[in-house]
Amino acid sequence: MHQFIRFLNSIRTLLVWILITTLLALLISNRHHKSGTFNWMTPLWADQAGYYVYLPGLFIYHFDAKSFPEKIEEKTGLGFSLDLEKNKVISRYTCGTAILQAPFFLIIHVLAGILNQPQDGFSGIYHKVPDLAALFYCILGLFFLRKFLLFYYRNRTVWFTILTLFFGTNLYYYAIDSTGMSHIYSFALFAVVAWLTKMMLLGETKRTYLYFICWSLLFALIVLIRPSNILLFPFLFCLDCNSSAEFIQRVKRFLSFRVILILLVSSFIVFLPQFLYWKYVSGSYITDSYQGFGFSNWKSPKILELWFSPNNGLFLYSPLYLAFIAGMLLMIKNKMRNGWVILITFLVATYIFASWFIFSFGCGFGSRNYVEFLVLFSLPLGYIYSLIPEFRIGKRYLIILLIFGLSIFNLRLVYSYNRCFQGGDWDFKEYVSFLVKIRKYHQTLDMKGLEHMAPENEYSKTLYLQAGKIYYLKYKKAVVRTEVTLESKDSEAALVLAIETPDTTLYWNAFRLKDQVPDGKLHKKQTVEGEFWIPASIPKNATIATYIWNKNKETLTVSEFDLYLE
């Protein structure tokens, strides 16, 4: 009977994971199905392309820079560079993320051949490589995080903790949106090594050394992906440590010849591809690929900005982190194991992150460096959930509603954020604009049906707005939306916004339509949207104009234009 119940529980758990996987796949697909290619909305742009370039570089072009597609570094946001004079492919990022993406790259590469698509590593279907990889590693991370938390809390508490952690923090953004960034991959490895650490501490298996070999290889990979990830080590080393005597015993065991040998060999194996790449690029097996960047704020760390700035401040973008701190303090107050080590890790990590030359770490969502450390923070969150049944019913529902509200806030911000903060470090108006879209003006150009642009047409009908009509409004951005039907996958037609006076052009910018129209959506009506950050002051005699520039005079169809000022 017990075996049958266990079997039913296993089937139920399997179905839950299938459901979670399906949900995540749909969320990722929905987020990127209109991303197109070669634009800032794709997962092969800027830093993400810098992580990824190792794969086409190795498997397709054999690190021959001259054989790469022309200007591909510009088309992917300059996340890497091609030194054509020295024939070198240059990326400042380490190859750890690419190692984890490699199986999915090879699958997509084979699939591209089967589907008769270009096998160039960058176009079309290759933009799905980070999406598939992120889906796999997100599930892997959540799976092992659950196994780890089950050592501490009941099953229901663990599920609540995992769901809250995912939907309520910037983990969601890096699993669903920026799938090519390193954080979701680090998160998965953090969860696996946390579980392996607990298994080794239990010491109930003859496979302890096998676990340690796996642990060593994975931890070396964690550090290769992001060197700052080494901050995980004190937590793992001190996990469930009950006394100073036990700590000393762990130190002695860790310093044994066998353990040191395994760590050194594992680290060498994992770092060998990076050493070889650095030798290829610089002539030296070890080099500083981040020259010109670094931790330049050791004496004046930007902690306040890191936590509270509208420009990616941790608590403003994912305020649920405040609950983690509350959980740490409760663990310390109630003399629970691991409370102090998690809090100290958080504070040390904060000091180091705040010492980076740019505290916001560029474009991103919240202080993204904390994402992988959510594995640690899951323990204090789980502790809060474990205490809830002990509270009075009013306090119990208040805490649940608060956590739910913070999670909804996180999701609201994720889906309204434009992936890069454009204001100053303390520009709260810009931050609020993500939460409350204040559209100060709206004008429509009704095409009275569809405008079929024949080859002889270079420009569509134009929506004009006289600046004198809106001089009293304060706005920073123009959003233009239109519906188009493209016929060619090589279309160069562009959505243009220009600001002109009778004497000169004050502003001109354009978005290629094809960048938001996937190959599979050709010959179908698609909504295209462009965001234009316009000059601060526009004279009253200026005219704002938006239109389609049919550069190659191809056949396409356009419907109405909508112009919003925000």
Side-chain angles (χ1 to χ4, degrees), residues 13-28 104 131-147 159 162-163 166-167 171 174-176 184-185 187-189 191-192:
T13 301
L14 176 62
L15 291 175
V16 170
W17 283 112
I18 291 174
L19 179 63
I20 291 174
T21 303
T22 303
L23 175 61
L24 292 185
L26 291 173
L27 288 171
I28 293 173
F104 305 94
D131 290 347
L132 286 176
L135 173 62
F136 174 81
Y137 289 108
C138 182
I139 293 298
L140 182 72
L142 295 176
F143 178 81
F144 276 96
L145 179 59
R146 177 177 178 268
K147 290 174 69 70
W159 277 119
I162 288 175
L163 291 174
F166 180 74
F167 289 105
L171 175 62
Y174 288 97
I176 303 300
I184 190 62
Y185 306 92
F187 169 79
L189 298 187
V192 176

Short mmCIF file of all heavy atoms in Angstrom, two decimals, residues 13-28 104 131-147 159 162-163 166-167 171 174-176 184-185 187-189 191-192:
data_model
loop_
_atom_site.label_atom_id
_atom_site.label_comp_id
_atom_site.label_asym_id
_atom_site.label_seq_id
_atom_site.Cartn_x
_atom_site.Cartn_y
_atom_site.Cartn_z
N THR A 13 3.97 14.46 -8.77
CA THR A 13 5.11 15.38 -8.84
C THR A 13 5.59 15.54 -10.28
O THR A 13 5.90 16.65 -10.73
CB THR A 13 6.27 14.86 -7.96
OG1 THR A 13 5.82 14.74 -6.61
CG2 THR A 13 7.45 15.83 -8.01
N LEU A 14 5.62 14.43 -11.02
CA LEU A 14 6.03 14.48 -12.43
C LEU A 14 5.09 15.38 -13.23
O LEU A 14 5.53 16.20 -14.05
CB LEU A 14 6.06 13.07 -13.02
CG LEU A 14 6.39 12.98 -14.52
CD1 LEU A 14 7.77 13.53 -14.79
CD2 LEU A 14 6.25 11.53 -15.01
N LEU A 15 3.79 15.24 -12.99
CA LEU A 15 2.82 16.06 -13.71
C LEU A 15 2.97 17.53 -13.37
O LEU A 15 2.81 18.40 -14.25
CB LEU A 15 1.39 15.59 -13.38
CG LEU A 15 1.00 14.20 -13.92
CD1 LEU A 15 -0.38 13.81 -13.42
CD2 LEU A 15 1.03 14.20 -15.45
N VAL A 16 3.30 17.82 -12.11
CA VAL A 16 3.52 19.21 -11.71
C VAL A 16 4.70 19.80 -12.47
O VAL A 16 4.63 20.93 -12.98
CB VAL A 16 3.75 19.30 -10.19
CG1 VAL A 16 4.23 20.70 -9.81
CG2 VAL A 16 2.46 18.99 -9.43
N TRP A 17 5.79 19.05 -12.58
CA TRP A 17 6.97 19.55 -13.29
C TRP A 17 6.71 19.68 -14.79
O TRP A 17 7.22 20.62 -15.43
CB TRP A 17 8.17 18.64 -13.04
CG TRP A 17 8.78 18.86 -11.69
CD1 TRP A 17 8.79 18.01 -10.63
CD2 TRP A 17 9.45 20.05 -11.25
NE1 TRP A 17 9.42 18.57 -9.55
CE2 TRP A 17 9.84 19.83 -9.91
CE3 TRP A 17 9.76 21.27 -11.84
CZ2 TRP A 17 10.51 20.79 -9.16
CZ3 TRP A 17 10.43 22.23 -11.11
CH2 TRP A 17 10.81 21.98 -9.78
N ILE A 18 5.92 18.80 -15.34
CA ILE A 18 5.54 18.94 -16.75
C ILE A 18 4.72 20.22 -16.95
O ILE A 18 4.92 20.97 -17.91
CB ILE A 18 4.74 17.72 -17.23
CG1 ILE A 18 5.66 16.48 -17.30
CG2 ILE A 18 4.11 17.97 -18.60
CD1 ILE A 18 4.94 15.19 -17.63
N LEU A 19 3.81 20.48 -16.02
CA LEU A 19 2.99 21.69 -16.08
C LEU A 19 3.86 22.94 -15.95
O LEU A 19 3.69 23.91 -16.71
CB LEU A 19 1.94 21.66 -14.96
CG LEU A 19 1.01 22.88 -14.87
CD1 LEU A 19 0.17 22.99 -16.13
CD2 LEU A 19 0.11 22.76 -13.64
N ILE A 20 4.82 22.92 -15.02
CA ILE A 20 5.71 24.08 -14.83
C ILE A 20 6.56 24.31 -16.08
O ILE A 20 6.72 25.45 -16.53
CB ILE A 20 6.61 23.85 -13.59
CG1 ILE A 20 5.77 23.90 -12.31
CG2 ILE A 20 7.72 24.90 -13.54
CD1 ILE A 20 6.54 23.55 -11.06
N THR A 21 7.08 23.22 -16.65
CA THR A 21 7.90 23.34 -17.86
C THR A 21 7.09 23.93 -19.01
O THR A 21 7.57 24.81 -19.74
CB THR A 21 8.46 21.96 -18.26
OG1 THR A 21 9.22 21.42 -17.17
CG2 THR A 21 9.34 22.08 -19.49
N THR A 22 5.87 23.46 -19.16
CA THR A 22 4.99 23.97 -20.22
C THR A 22 4.70 25.45 -20.02
O THR A 22 4.74 26.25 -20.97
CB THR A 22 3.67 23.18 -20.25
OG1 THR A 22 3.95 21.79 -20.44
CG2 THR A 22 2.78 23.67 -21.39
N LEU A 23 4.42 25.84 -18.77
CA LEU A 23 4.14 27.24 -18.47
C LEU A 23 5.34 28.12 -18.79
O LEU A 23 5.21 29.18 -19.43
CB LEU A 23 3.76 27.39 -16.99
CG LEU A 23 3.56 28.83 -16.49
CD1 LEU A 23 2.43 29.51 -17.24
CD2 LEU A 23 3.32 28.84 -14.98
N LEU A 24 6.53 27.68 -18.38
CA LEU A 24 7.73 28.48 -18.64
C LEU A 24 8.01 28.59 -20.13
O LEU A 24 8.41 29.65 -20.63
CB LEU A 24 8.93 27.86 -17.92
CG LEU A 24 8.92 27.91 -16.39
CD1 LEU A 24 10.23 27.37 -15.84
CD2 LEU A 24 8.70 29.33 -15.90
N ALA A 25 7.80 27.50 -20.85
CA ALA A 25 8.01 27.52 -22.31
C ALA A 25 7.07 28.51 -22.97
O ALA A 25 7.46 29.26 -23.87
CB ALA A 25 7.81 26.11 -22.88
N LEU A 26 5.82 28.55 -22.51
CA LEU A 26 4.85 29.49 -23.08
C LEU A 26 5.22 30.92 -22.74
O LEU A 26 5.09 31.83 -23.58
CB LEU A 26 3.45 29.16 -22.56
CG LEU A 26 2.82 27.86 -23.08
CD1 LEU A 26 1.51 27.57 -22.35
CD2 LEU A 26 2.59 27.94 -24.59
N LEU A 27 5.68 31.16 -21.52
CA LEU A 27 6.05 32.51 -21.10
C LEU A 27 7.25 33.01 -21.92
O LEU A 27 7.28 34.16 -22.37
CB LEU A 27 6.39 32.52 -19.61
CG LEU A 27 5.21 32.38 -18.64
CD1 LEU A 27 5.71 32.19 -17.22
CD2 LEU A 27 4.29 33.60 -18.73
N ILE A 28 8.25 32.15 -22.12
CA ILE A 28 9.43 32.54 -22.91
C ILE A 28 9.03 32.79 -24.35
O ILE A 28 9.45 33.78 -24.97
CB ILE A 28 10.52 31.45 -22.81
CG1 ILE A 28 11.07 31.39 -21.39
CG2 ILE A 28 11.64 31.73 -23.80
CD1 ILE A 28 12.03 30.24 -21.15
N PHE A 104 22.41 22.96 -26.70
CA PHE A 104 21.24 23.55 -27.37
C PHE A 104 21.65 24.22 -28.68
O PHE A 104 20.88 24.22 -29.64
CB PHE A 104 20.55 24.52 -26.42
CG PHE A 104 20.19 23.88 -25.11
CD1 PHE A 104 21.05 23.96 -24.02
CD2 PHE A 104 19.03 23.14 -24.98
CE1 PHE A 104 20.75 23.33 -22.82
CE2 PHE A 104 18.71 22.51 -23.79
CZ PHE A 104 19.58 22.60 -22.71
N ASP A 131 16.95 30.84 -25.43
CA ASP A 131 15.62 30.55 -24.88
C ASP A 131 15.52 29.10 -24.41
O ASP A 131 15.04 28.81 -23.31
CB ASP A 131 14.54 30.84 -25.92
CG ASP A 131 14.37 32.31 -26.21
OD1 ASP A 131 14.92 33.13 -25.44
OD2 ASP A 131 13.70 32.66 -27.19
N LEU A 132 15.95 28.18 -25.27
CA LEU A 132 15.90 26.76 -24.92
C LEU A 132 16.81 26.46 -23.73
O LEU A 132 16.44 25.71 -22.82
CB LEU A 132 16.30 25.90 -26.12
CG LEU A 132 15.29 25.77 -27.25
CD1 LEU A 132 15.88 24.97 -28.40
CD2 LEU A 132 14.02 25.09 -26.75
N ALA A 133 18.00 27.03 -23.75
CA ALA A 133 18.95 26.79 -22.67
C ALA A 133 18.40 27.33 -21.35
O ALA A 133 18.47 26.65 -20.31
CB ALA A 133 20.29 27.43 -23.00
N ALA A 134 17.85 28.54 -21.37
CA ALA A 134 17.31 29.14 -20.14
C ALA A 134 16.15 28.32 -19.60
O ALA A 134 16.01 28.15 -18.39
CB ALA A 134 16.87 30.57 -20.41
N LEU A 135 15.29 27.81 -20.49
CA LEU A 135 14.19 26.96 -20.06
C LEU A 135 14.71 25.74 -19.31
O LEU A 135 14.24 25.41 -18.21
CB LEU A 135 13.36 26.52 -21.27
CG LEU A 135 12.26 25.50 -21.01
CD1 LEU A 135 11.21 26.05 -20.05
CD2 LEU A 135 11.60 25.06 -22.32
N PHE A 136 15.70 25.08 -19.91
CA PHE A 136 16.26 23.87 -19.28
C PHE A 136 16.89 24.19 -17.93
O PHE A 136 16.62 23.51 -16.93
CB PHE A 136 17.29 23.23 -20.21
CG PHE A 136 18.00 22.06 -19.59
CD1 PHE A 136 17.41 20.81 -19.59
CD2 PHE A 136 19.26 22.21 -19.02
CE1 PHE A 136 18.05 19.71 -19.00
CE2 PHE A 136 19.91 21.13 -18.44
CZ PHE A 136 19.31 19.89 -18.43
N TYR A 137 17.73 25.22 -17.88
CA TYR A 137 18.45 25.48 -16.63
C TYR A 137 17.56 26.10 -15.57
O TYR A 137 17.82 25.93 -14.37
CB TYR A 137 19.68 26.36 -16.92
CG TYR A 137 20.74 25.58 -17.67
CD1 TYR A 137 21.01 25.83 -19.01
CD2 TYR A 137 21.44 24.55 -17.04
CE1 TYR A 137 21.96 25.09 -19.71
CE2 TYR A 137 22.39 23.80 -17.72
CZ TYR A 137 22.64 24.08 -19.06
OH TYR A 137 23.57 23.32 -19.74
N CYS A 138 16.52 26.79 -15.98
CA CYS A 138 15.56 27.27 -14.98
C CYS A 138 14.86 26.10 -14.30
O CYS A 138 14.76 26.06 -13.06
CB CYS A 138 14.54 28.19 -15.64
SG CYS A 138 13.34 28.88 -14.49
N ILE A 139 14.40 25.14 -15.10
CA ILE A 139 13.75 23.95 -14.54
C ILE A 139 14.74 23.16 -13.68
O ILE A 139 14.40 22.70 -12.58
CB ILE A 139 13.19 23.06 -15.66
CG1 ILE A 139 12.04 23.77 -16.38
CG2 ILE A 139 12.70 21.72 -15.11
CD1 ILE A 139 10.85 24.08 -15.49
N LEU A 140 15.97 23.01 -14.18
CA LEU A 140 16.99 22.29 -13.41
C LEU A 140 17.23 22.98 -12.07
O LEU A 140 17.30 22.31 -11.02
CB LEU A 140 18.30 22.24 -14.21
CG LEU A 140 19.46 21.47 -13.56
CD1 LEU A 140 19.18 19.97 -13.61
CD2 LEU A 140 20.78 21.78 -14.27
N GLY A 141 17.35 24.30 -12.09
CA GLY A 141 17.58 25.03 -10.86
C GLY A 141 16.43 24.91 -9.88
O GLY A 141 16.65 24.67 -8.68
N LEU A 142 15.21 25.07 -10.36
CA LEU A 142 14.04 24.95 -9.48
C LEU A 142 13.90 23.54 -8.93
O LEU A 142 13.52 23.34 -7.77
CB LEU A 142 12.78 25.35 -10.24
CG LEU A 142 12.69 26.82 -10.69
CD1 LEU A 142 11.43 27.05 -11.50
CD2 LEU A 142 12.74 27.76 -9.49
N PHE A 143 14.21 22.53 -9.77
CA PHE A 143 14.12 21.13 -9.35
C PHE A 143 15.07 20.85 -8.19
O PHE A 143 14.67 20.28 -7.15
CB PHE A 143 14.43 20.22 -10.53
CG PHE A 143 14.42 18.75 -10.20
CD1 PHE A 143 13.22 18.05 -10.13
CD2 PHE A 143 15.59 18.07 -9.95
CE1 PHE A 143 13.18 16.70 -9.82
CE2 PHE A 143 15.58 16.71 -9.64
CZ PHE A 143 14.38 16.03 -9.57
N PHE A 144 16.33 21.26 -8.34
CA PHE A 144 17.31 20.97 -7.27
C PHE A 144 17.13 21.91 -6.08
O PHE A 144 17.46 21.54 -4.95
CB PHE A 144 18.74 21.04 -7.82
CG PHE A 144 19.16 19.76 -8.47
CD1 PHE A 144 19.06 19.60 -9.83
CD2 PHE A 144 19.63 18.70 -7.71
CE1 PHE A 144 19.44 18.41 -10.44
CE2 PHE A 144 20.01 17.50 -8.30
CZ PHE A 144 19.91 17.34 -9.67
N LEU A 145 16.60 23.09 -6.30
CA LEU A 145 16.30 23.97 -5.18
C LEU A 145 15.21 23.33 -4.31
O LEU A 145 15.29 23.38 -3.07
CB LEU A 145 15.84 25.34 -5.68
CG LEU A 145 15.48 26.35 -4.59
CD1 LEU A 145 16.66 26.61 -3.65
CD2 LEU A 145 15.00 27.66 -5.21
N ARG A 146 14.23 22.73 -4.95
CA ARG A 146 13.19 22.04 -4.20
C ARG A 146 13.78 20.88 -3.39
O ARG A 146 13.47 20.71 -2.21
CB ARG A 146 12.10 21.53 -5.14
CG ARG A 146 11.01 20.72 -4.44
CD ARG A 146 9.91 20.30 -5.39
NE ARG A 146 8.92 19.49 -4.70
CZ ARG A 146 8.97 18.14 -4.62
NH1 ARG A 146 9.94 17.48 -5.23
NH2 ARG A 146 8.04 17.47 -3.96
N LYS A 147 14.65 20.09 -4.02
CA LYS A 147 15.28 18.97 -3.32
C LYS A 147 16.10 19.46 -2.13
O LYS A 147 16.12 18.84 -1.06
CB LYS A 147 16.18 18.18 -4.28
CG LYS A 147 15.41 17.39 -5.33
CD LYS A 147 16.33 16.75 -6.35
CE LYS A 147 17.14 15.61 -5.75
NZ LYS A 147 16.32 14.44 -5.43
N TRP A 159 7.02 24.39 -1.93
CA TRP A 159 6.38 24.84 -3.17
C TRP A 159 6.03 26.32 -3.11
O TRP A 159 6.23 27.06 -4.09
CB TRP A 159 5.13 24.01 -3.45
CG TRP A 159 5.38 22.70 -4.12
CD1 TRP A 159 5.10 21.46 -3.65
CD2 TRP A 159 5.99 22.51 -5.41
NE1 TRP A 159 5.48 20.50 -4.56
CE2 TRP A 159 6.03 21.11 -5.65
CE3 TRP A 159 6.50 23.36 -6.38
CZ2 TRP A 159 6.55 20.56 -6.81
CZ3 TRP A 159 7.03 22.82 -7.54
CH2 TRP A 159 7.05 21.43 -7.75
N ILE A 162 9.31 28.30 -3.59
CA ILE A 162 9.81 28.28 -4.97
C ILE A 162 8.98 29.19 -5.87
O ILE A 162 9.53 29.98 -6.66
CB ILE A 162 9.83 26.84 -5.51
CG1 ILE A 162 10.94 26.05 -4.85
CG2 ILE A 162 10.02 26.83 -7.03
CD1 ILE A 162 10.97 24.59 -5.22
N LEU A 163 7.66 29.09 -5.77
CA LEU A 163 6.80 29.90 -6.62
C LEU A 163 6.96 31.39 -6.32
O LEU A 163 7.01 32.22 -7.23
CB LEU A 163 5.34 29.48 -6.43
CG LEU A 163 4.98 28.09 -6.97
CD1 LEU A 163 3.55 27.72 -6.61
CD2 LEU A 163 5.17 28.03 -8.48
N PHE A 166 10.31 32.66 -7.68
CA PHE A 166 10.35 32.80 -9.13
C PHE A 166 9.54 34.00 -9.61
O PHE A 166 10.04 34.85 -10.35
CB PHE A 166 9.83 31.53 -9.80
CG PHE A 166 9.86 31.60 -11.30
CD1 PHE A 166 11.05 31.50 -11.99
CD2 PHE A 166 8.69 31.79 -12.02
CE1 PHE A 166 11.09 31.58 -13.37
CE2 PHE A 166 8.71 31.89 -13.40
CZ PHE A 166 9.92 31.77 -14.07
N PHE A 167 8.29 34.09 -9.18
CA PHE A 167 7.42 35.15 -9.69
C PHE A 167 7.65 36.49 -9.00
O PHE A 167 7.28 37.53 -9.54
CB PHE A 167 5.96 34.75 -9.55
CG PHE A 167 5.54 33.66 -10.49
CD1 PHE A 167 5.35 32.37 -10.03
CD2 PHE A 167 5.35 33.93 -11.84
CE1 PHE A 167 4.96 31.35 -10.91
CE2 PHE A 167 4.98 32.93 -12.71
CZ PHE A 167 4.78 31.63 -12.25
N LEU A 171 14.56 36.93 -10.74
CA LEU A 171 14.79 35.62 -11.35
C LEU A 171 13.85 35.42 -12.53
O LEU A 171 14.24 34.86 -13.57
CB LEU A 171 14.56 34.51 -10.30
CG LEU A 171 14.64 33.07 -10.81
CD1 LEU A 171 16.03 32.75 -11.36
CD2 LEU A 171 14.27 32.09 -9.70
N TYR A 174 15.22 37.16 -15.70
CA TYR A 174 16.38 36.53 -16.34
C TYR A 174 16.11 35.11 -16.80
O TYR A 174 16.89 34.54 -17.55
CB TYR A 174 17.60 36.62 -15.42
CG TYR A 174 18.10 38.04 -15.37
CD1 TYR A 174 17.74 38.90 -14.34
CD2 TYR A 174 18.85 38.55 -16.42
CE1 TYR A 174 18.14 40.23 -14.34
CE2 TYR A 174 19.26 39.88 -16.42
CZ TYR A 174 18.91 40.70 -15.39
OH TYR A 174 19.29 42.02 -15.41
N ALA A 175 14.99 34.55 -16.39
CA ALA A 175 14.58 33.24 -16.92
C ALA A 175 13.69 33.39 -18.14
O ALA A 175 13.71 32.52 -19.03
CB ALA A 175 13.83 32.45 -15.84
N ILE A 176 12.93 34.47 -18.21
CA ILE A 176 11.93 34.65 -19.27
C ILE A 176 12.37 35.67 -20.31
O ILE A 176 12.15 35.48 -21.51
CB ILE A 176 10.58 35.10 -18.66
CG1 ILE A 176 10.10 34.09 -17.61
CG2 ILE A 176 9.53 35.28 -19.75
CD1 ILE A 176 9.87 32.69 -18.14
N ILE A 184 20.65 33.04 -15.00
CA ILE A 184 19.81 31.86 -14.84
C ILE A 184 20.66 30.59 -14.85
O ILE A 184 20.35 29.60 -14.19
CB ILE A 184 18.71 31.80 -15.93
CG1 ILE A 184 17.69 30.70 -15.61
CG2 ILE A 184 19.30 31.59 -17.31
CD1 ILE A 184 16.94 30.92 -14.32
N TYR A 185 21.79 30.63 -15.55
CA TYR A 185 22.70 29.48 -15.60
C TYR A 185 23.43 29.33 -14.26
O TYR A 185 23.57 28.21 -13.74
CB TYR A 185 23.70 29.67 -16.75
CG TYR A 185 23.01 29.93 -18.07
CD1 TYR A 185 22.75 31.23 -18.50
CD2 TYR A 185 22.59 28.88 -18.87
CE1 TYR A 185 22.09 31.47 -19.70
CE2 TYR A 185 21.93 29.12 -20.08
CZ TYR A 185 21.68 30.41 -20.49
OH TYR A 185 21.03 30.65 -21.67
N PHE A 187 22.29 30.42 -11.43
CA PHE A 187 21.25 30.02 -10.47
C PHE A 187 21.07 28.50 -10.45
O PHE A 187 20.99 27.88 -9.38
CB PHE A 187 19.93 30.70 -10.83
CG PHE A 187 18.74 30.16 -10.09
CD1 PHE A 187 18.47 30.55 -8.79
CD2 PHE A 187 17.87 29.24 -10.68
CE1 PHE A 187 17.38 30.05 -8.09
CE2 PHE A 187 16.78 28.74 -10.00
CZ PHE A 187 16.53 29.15 -8.70
N ALA A 188 21.02 27.90 -11.63
CA ALA A 188 20.85 26.45 -11.72
C ALA A 188 22.02 25.73 -11.04
O ALA A 188 21.82 24.78 -10.26
CB ALA A 188 20.73 26.02 -13.18
N LEU A 189 23.24 26.17 -11.32
CA LEU A 189 24.41 25.51 -10.73
C LEU A 189 24.48 25.75 -9.22
O LEU A 189 24.88 24.86 -8.47
CB LEU A 189 25.68 26.01 -11.40
CG LEU A 189 25.81 25.72 -12.90
CD1 LEU A 189 27.20 26.12 -13.40
CD2 LEU A 189 25.56 24.24 -13.20
N ALA A 191 21.95 25.94 -7.25
CA ALA A 191 20.99 25.01 -6.64
C ALA A 191 21.54 23.60 -6.60
O ALA A 191 21.38 22.88 -5.59
CB ALA A 191 19.68 25.05 -7.44
N VAL A 192 22.20 23.17 -7.67
CA VAL A 192 22.75 21.81 -7.71
C VAL A 192 23.85 21.64 -6.66
O VAL A 192 23.87 20.64 -5.93
CB VAL A 192 23.28 21.47 -9.12
CG1 VAL A 192 23.92 20.08 -9.12
CG2 VAL A 192 22.16 21.51 -10.15
#
